[in-house]
Amino acid sequence: MNYRSVKQPKLSDVIMQRIEEMIMEGALRPGQRLPPERELAQEFDVSRPSIREALQKLAAKGLLVSRQGGGTFVAENLGDGLVDPLLDLFRSHPEAQYDLLEFRHALEGVSAYYAALRSTVADREVIAARLDDLQRYHDRKEFDKEVAADVEFHLAIAAAAHNVVLLHMMRALFQLLHQHIGDNLSSIYPKAEIRQRIHEQHRLLMEAICAGEPEHARKAAHDHLVYVEEALLEQGRENSRLQRALRRVELNP
């Protein structure tokens, strides 16, 4: 009987596949610096040339970038093809923010549902930490950091859903969400009661996920975005009334 020889995969290909999995699963984030070759060789228990070859292959795929004297990083522009056209659309058509809110209803409702079903203790700790960050920056009135923390809170929920496509869709939209949430907060956050209500909704969302209640989590995400949309619509109506009043004053000094 003839047996075909089984070809053993190259070490560098095995390492490359593992790093690809870490990027896909979100363990390595866009822009994150990888450990030095020496540490990677120890972690994978292989030679440094095998590590170097794997990193070169990943760089050729566009997944990693090397900086002179600065190390190797996960490419920051993963998924940018989804982001730039949408950012341009939002800059030229501010009313499109309601379309994004509608899209977020679907995307974040699913994220919350599966996060409640699948999140680990570690996932829930990260979500709680992101909410603490959000509250801290809110208390300090550090607006830019508060906006970033709001986005990170929602991304932590997406990561806890343990669906790599969902996670990377959310990350690909990070810049868009950052601008969108920033625009929302700047429009409605001057009102203390709205601000407090939004923080309470974030907490209810986290509690439903931590309690393992998927339907309650999805409803909490839905209620949060409905409230934001209603607050934005009301703010828009107030702005329209103000503009009409100013025009009347100008015409009848």
Side-chain angles (χ1 to χ4, degrees):
M1 184 179 293
N2 294 325
Y3 291 94
R4 286 186 176 182
S5 62
V6 178
K7 187 177 180 180
Q8 294 295 324
K10 290 184 65 175
L11 275 176
S12 61
D13 290 336
V14 174
I15 297 163
M16 179 181 70
Q17 183 179 15
R18 180 59 192 130
I19 294 176
E20 284 178 339
E21 289 171 354
M22 293 170 72
I23 293 172
M24 186 177 69
E25 293 166 358
L28 288 173
R29 299 168 59 109
Q32 183 173 339
R33 181 177 180 175
L34 270 66
E37 285 183 7
R38 174 177 49 79
E39 292 183 22
L40 287 172
Q42 291 175 350
E43 182 177 340
F44 286 101
D45 194 22
V46 297
S47 66
R48 290 181 65 174
S50 294
I51 292 291
R52 192 173 302 118
E53 185 177 350
L55 297 183
Q56 289 170 350
K57 291 177 179 179
L58 289 164
K61 288 186 171 187
L63 292 171
L64 299 180
V65 293
S66 296
R67 299 176 188 169
Q68 190 65 32
T72 302
F73 297 78
V74 180
E76 292 189 25
N77 60 349
L78 295 179
D80 270 1
L82 293 172
V83 177
D84 291 343
L86 289 172
L87 282 174
D88 291 339
L89 172 65
F90 271 72
R91 291 189 185 104
S92 56
H93 299 281
E95 68 276 9
Q97 65 182 324
Y98 298 108
D99 292 338
L100 179 55
L101 275 170
E102 193 173 87
F103 176 71
R104 286 182 64 190
H105 274 296
L107 197 63
E108 296 192 35
V110 170
S111 294
Y113 182 91
Y114 284 112
L117 277 179
R118 301 170 176 168
S119 60
T120 65
V121 172
D123 292 327
R124 295 191 286 272
E125 288 175 352
V126 171
I127 293 171
R130 296 295 81 80
L131 186 61
D132 288 343
D133 291 342
L134 182 55
Q135 186 64 53
R136 181 169 62 257
Y137 294 131
H138 169 72
D139 294 339
R140 294 178 183 173
K141 304 189 188 308
E142 296 181 76
F143 183 73
D144 289 342
K145 290 182 179 179
E146 184 175 359
V147 171
D150 196 318
V151 172
E152 289 295 336
F153 173 73
H154 291 286
L155 287 178
I157 293 172
H162 291 276
N163 180 309
V164 295
V165 176
L166 182 61
L167 172 60
H168 286 283
M169 281 293 293
M170 289 286 286
R171 283 196 176 156
L173 291 171
F174 180 90
Q175 291 181 0
L176 182 59
L177 287 173
H178 190 283
Q179 177 182 341
H180 179 246
I181 291 174
D183 290 344
N184 288 352
L185 298 186
S186 63
S187 296
I188 61 180
Y189 256 34
K191 297 185 176 181
E193 69 277 9
I194 291 179
R195 222 152 149 187
Q196 186 58 39
R197 181 77 180 275
I198 287 175
H199 280 281
E200 289 172 0
Q201 290 169 347
H202 282 147
R203 189 162 297 282
L204 286 173
L205 174 56
M206 182 194 71
E207 288 173 352
I209 290 170
C210 292
E213 299 175 343
E215 290 296 348
H216 287 167
R218 178 156 53 189
K219 183 177 184 302
H222 172 76
D223 290 346
H224 168 56
L225 292 171
V226 165
Y227 180 76
V228 170
E229 184 171 2
E230 289 176 348
L232 286 170
L233 287 169
E234 179 55 33
Q235 186 62 42
R237 287 191 286 266
E238 285 188 16
N239 290 341
S240 295
R241 290 193 291 268
L242 178 60
Q243 291 300 320
R244 284 198 298 270
L246 289 174
R247 285 194 294 272
R248 284 196 294 270
V249 170
E250 291 172 356
L251 291 171
N252 301 284

